[in-house]
Amino acid sequence: MAWRWLTAIVGGYGFAVAAAMLVARSLPVADPLGRVEATGWPMILSFLAYAGIGLWSLHEQRLGRVSAVVWGGALVMAMLLKLLGLRP
């Protein structure tokens, strides 16, 4: 039960942050002031993603599936961010 809660809280946070960063990084930005708008909406939506992932991970019956989706998804998105690099 402790692993499920750890996955819901810490893993859900990592998943939501990685998703928000990946969406913000992949949005097109025309000018430097556009970066604020490109990061604002993904951060707002990350709160919904965090709540959804947390509730789903506590509801799902199979702990292996929860761990694979949450931790694996966060890891894959972090790797994609590393490959994309910094925005010029």
Side-chain angles (χ1 to χ4, degrees):
M1 194 66 175
W3 180 252
R4 184 176 297 271
W5 280 96
L6 184 74
T7 300
I9 295 170
V10 178
Y13 179 77
F15 188 93
V17 167
M21 290 172 58
L22 186 62
V23 170
R25 175 63 178 90
S26 61
L27 288 175
V29 175
D31 59 346
L33 293 177
R35 290 184 185 181
V36 174
E37 294 174 2
T39 58
W41 280 107
M43 288 302 295
I44 290 171
L45 295 176
S46 72
F47 290 107
L48 293 174
Y50 181 51
I53 288 291
L55 289 173
W56 173 76
S57 64
L58 294 174
H59 177 73
E60 176 64 36
Q61 295 292 324
R62 296 182 197 98
L63 182 59
R65 179 183 291 177
V66 170
S67 298
V69 169
V70 173
W71 295 106
L75 184 64
V76 166
M77 286 186 279
M79 294 289 230
L80 286 172
L81 282 167
K82 183 74 173 169
L83 289 174
L84 285 173
L86 296 175
R87 186 179 296 238

